[in-house]
């Protein structure tokens, strides 16, 4: 059987990198998309060039994503799953003292980058009857006073549900992974008592490995402390 291929955005560190490791361990090829060429190259060296492909690019640029999808198909033949994981937060979270330019930058990644990723890979997923996985958040499941970041993740959850309805018409599946606080470079200081990136990676792989009869539409993952 042809080895399956997973395309990951935000793949150079944190959740994206750990998911690449988990997928490679499970026998998948991994196509790694992120802005940091050096980090991607290091991850490819770790996972092996036969199984991993570095695809430097900006998730807010449709042309970069379209090129990356073509390169992935040329290298591995098909794309069986896409993990739209790239995202960012805000230095100043609320409205009153927030920076509108920072809001725009975050929305470009968290919303438009997500849409561009899905648009660029949609045809490939249709061909393989593939699986779309989106990084949501616990912040997208509850109201947090003044949280603009949380609102961007509400979009992810709503869009993920809409995509699940559309994709099942042609045999595809869509899953939103909604973690609480994860110990990643997303935060300025370490959070060792919270979720680790590998916890989220395991959730992604659980969704991808579900039997064809089962559509895991959301995994809500919280730290125990």
């Amino acid at each position: 059987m042809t080895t399956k291929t997973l395309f990951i955005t935000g793949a150079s560190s944190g959740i994206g990198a750990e998911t690449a490791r988990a997928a490679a361990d499970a026998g998948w090829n991994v196509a790694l998309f992120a802005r940091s060429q050096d980090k991607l190259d290091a991850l490819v060296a770790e996972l092996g060039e036969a199984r991993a492909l570095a695809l430097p690019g900006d998730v807010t640029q449709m042309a970069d994503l379209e090129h990356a999808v073509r390169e992935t198909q040329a290298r591995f033949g098909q794309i069986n799953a896409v993990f739209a994981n790239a995202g960012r937060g805000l230095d100043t979270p609320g409205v009153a003292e927030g920076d509108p330019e920072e809001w725009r930058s975050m929305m470009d990644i968290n919303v438009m980058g997500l849409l561009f990723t899905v648009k660029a890979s949609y045809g490939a997923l249709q061909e393989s009857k593939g699986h779309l996985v989106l990084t949501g958040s616990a912040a997208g499941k509850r109201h947090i006073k003044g949280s603009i970041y949380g609102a961007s993740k509400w979009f992810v959850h709503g869009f993920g549900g809409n995509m699940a309805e559309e994709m099942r018409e042609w045999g595809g599946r869509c899953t939103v992974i909604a973690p609480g606080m994860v110990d990643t470079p997303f935060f300025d200081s370490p959070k060792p008592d919270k979720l680790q990136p590998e916890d989220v990676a395991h959730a992604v792989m659980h969704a991808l490995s579900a039997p064809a009869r089962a559509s895991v539409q959301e995994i809500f993952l919280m730290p125990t402390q």
Side-chain angles (χ1 to χ4, degrees):
M1 188 176 82
T2 303
T3 301
K4 290 184 176 181
T5 299
L6 173 61
F7 181 92
I8 305 171
T9 67
S12 60
S13 64
I15 292 168
E18 286 300 328
T19 301
R21 294 183 178 102
D25 287 345
W28 289 64
N29 296 321
V30 288
L32 311 172
F33 184 91
R35 288 178 295 182
S36 176
Q37 175 85 60
D38 292 346
K39 290 180 179 179
L40 292 180
D41 288 344
L43 188 54
V44 168
E46 174 190 336
L47 300 178
E49 293 186 2
R51 175 146 289 166
L53 174 65
L55 297 163
D58 185 342
V59 77
T60 69
Q61 300 300 313
M62 186 71 181
D64 288 2
L65 286 158
E66 290 174 333
H67 174 76
V69 167
R70 289 194 299 269
E71 289 293 302
T72 302
Q73 291 173 308
R75 172 71 176 276
F76 297 126
Q78 63 179 1
I79 297 173
N80 305 90
V82 172
F83 183 25
N85 168 66
R88 62 158 291 181
L90 296 172
D91 292 331
T92 305
V95 173
E97 297 183 7
D99 178 357
E101 287 306 311
E102 190 184 23
W103 302 344
R104 186 184 301 278
S105 177
M106 184 194 69
M107 290 296 184
D108 279 347
I109 296 172
N110 292 8
V111 176
M112 296 308 300
L114 172 68
L115 292 173
F116 289 165
T117 300
V118 176
K119 175 71 171 176
S121 62
Y122 191 89
L125 287 173
Q126 273 193 307
E127 288 177 12
S128 66
K129 293 182 169 43
H131 200 140
L132 174 64
V133 182
L134 313 178
T135 298
S137 173
K141 291 180 63 64
R142 63 190 180 95
H143 294 289
I144 302 170
K145 59 180 182 180
S147 177
I148 299 168
Y149 167 78
S152 76
K153 290 300 183 178
W154 278 75
F155 172 85
V156 176
H157 283 257
F159 181 67
N162 294 348
M163 288 304 300
E165 289 299 305
E166 178 171 336
M167 292 176 71
R168 71 189 178 97
E169 293 180 354
W170 43 261
R173 297 185 288 185
C174 181
T175 303
V176 178
I177 308 294
M181 188 174 288
V182 184
D183 184 20
T184 71
F186 185 91
F187 296 103
D188 293 332
S189 59
K191 310 289 182 185
D193 60 335
K194 302 304 180 185
L195 294 171
Q196 297 300 304
E198 54 265 34
D199 299 326
V200 185
H202 292 159
V204 174
M205 297 311 299
H206 172 74
L208 293 179
S209 63
R213 65 180 177 271
S215 177
V216 181
Q217 295 193 15
E218 181 177 282
I219 297 178
F220 185 25
L221 186 66
M222 291 295 289
T224 54
Q225 299 183 42

